[in-house]
Amino acid sequence: EAQLVESGGGLVQPGGSLRLSCAASGFTFSSYWTSWVRQAPGKGLEWVASIKEDGSEKSYVDPVKGRFTISRDNAENSLYLQMDSLRAEDTAVYYCARGNDFSIWGQGTMVTVSS
Amino acid sequence: DIQMTQSPSSLSASVGDRVTITCRASRGVMNYLAWFQQKPGKAPKSLIYAASSLQSGVPSRFSGSGSGTDFTLTISSLQPEDFATYYCQHYKTFPITFGQGTRLEIK
């Protein structure tokens, strides 16, 4: 069964950093674009970043450009999101999702940015 | 950026009802349109991709249609487990954007 499992969330102070991970299993990870999507408490879904199958292309939503970095390790079947200079407005559940059509989602990991 | 607008924002319906949710893109997205279902405290679940293709395992009472700027998600006969929030999303270009969501509640 295809599955994605996120980890790495937690409480961090404004200006701090956090690295999220997403472990893939049950499918050929290296064959899919993969993305991060977030959802602030009580709000809708917001696409954050995507990375091509081989890591050669990356794209970000404007509010995170220059602060977040998406990467992947196909040998480890893993996706990452390095989040620096965190702000209160980055507080959200972060999901990873598979493919151009976001066909498979992980269960999410909560990131709270607060002093 | 392409803006996605869903209507209605909320909807009350009864088990057995036929329900339609619409999604409009601010400019054409061809058929690069997906629909998701989300229940409280859970991750979104993919229902429809490429505007009208049903994801594996999704009941056939769900269907999608449209192309260009106007799209619909139809549930032919509501079941108790269908009460949730539904989102449309385009994936034609970056930035990918979602609609604001439609909350489907029990009447």
Side-chain angles (χ1 to χ4, degrees):
Chain A
E1 177 191 3
Q3 191 174 10
L4 297 170
V5 178
E6 302 93 337
S7 60
L11 174 64
V12 61
Q13 292 188 338
S17 296
L18 212 53
R19 189 194 196 208
L20 305 183
S21 299
C22 171
S25 61
F27 65 97
T28 305
F29 178 68
S30 59
S31 296
Y32 293 88
W33 277 79
T34 319
S35 303
W36 289 98
V37 176
R38 66 185 178 183
Q39 186 170 37
K43 301 298 184 182
L45 301 170
E46 180 182 38
W47 168 76
V48 174
S50 295
I51 186 167
K52 195 176 179 179
E53 297 94 333
D54 61 1
S56 62
E57 294 182 33
K58 304 174 184 181
S59 188
Y60 301 89
V61 70
D62 280 350
V64 310
K65 284 180 181 175
R67 301 188 300 122
F68 289 11
T69 303
I70 190 171
S71 63
R72 65 191 299 158
D73 183 338
N74 287 340
E76 295 293 326
N77 293 321
S78 292
L79 175 74
Y80 304 102
L81 186 68
Q82 177 66 41
M83 303 187 296
D84 299 319
S85 302
L86 281 161
R87 306 167 180 168
E89 54 265 35
D90 296 318
T91 294
V93 175
Y94 285 74
Y95 299 99
C96 56
R98 185 190 82 171
N100 293 333
D101 59 354
F102 292 55
S103 55
I104 302 290
W105 294 62
Q107 85 289 349
T109 188
M110 182 71 203
V111 172
T112 303
V113 184
S114 176
S115 55
Chain B
D1 298 359
I2 299 173
Q3 308 303 317
M4 308 300 292
T5 304
Q6 290 180 230
S7 60
S9 295
S10 63
L11 175 60
S12 294
S14 301
V15 172
D17 284 354
R18 179 183 179 90
V19 166
T20 297
I21 298 169
T22 65
C23 178
R24 175 163 288 175
S26 60
R27 61 179 189 268
V29 298
M30 300 175 68
N31 70 333
Y32 294 101
L33 192 285
W35 290 96
F36 302 92
Q37 176 194 67
Q38 187 178 34
K39 296 181 180 179
K42 300 295 186 182
K45 173 187 175 182
S46 178
L47 300 175
I48 302 283
Y49 66 99
S52 60
S53 297
L54 206 62
Q55 286 285 1
S56 175
V58 174
S60 59
R61 62 181 180 273
F62 291 92
S63 64
S65 65
S67 183
T69 60
D70 294 304
F71 302 88
T72 60
L73 173 70
T74 299
I75 309 171
S76 59
S77 178
L78 273 174
Q79 298 302 299
E81 60 268 30
D82 299 337
F83 291 95
T85 299
Y86 293 84
Y87 295 92
C88 65
Q89 174 223 46
H90 89 82
Y91 51 99
K92 181 179 183 293
T93 58
F94 293 119
I96 293 166
T97 53
F98 291 85
Q100 81 279 14
T102 295
R103 184 175 179 182
L104 179 53
E105 300 174 320
I106 301 173
K107 183 182 288 184

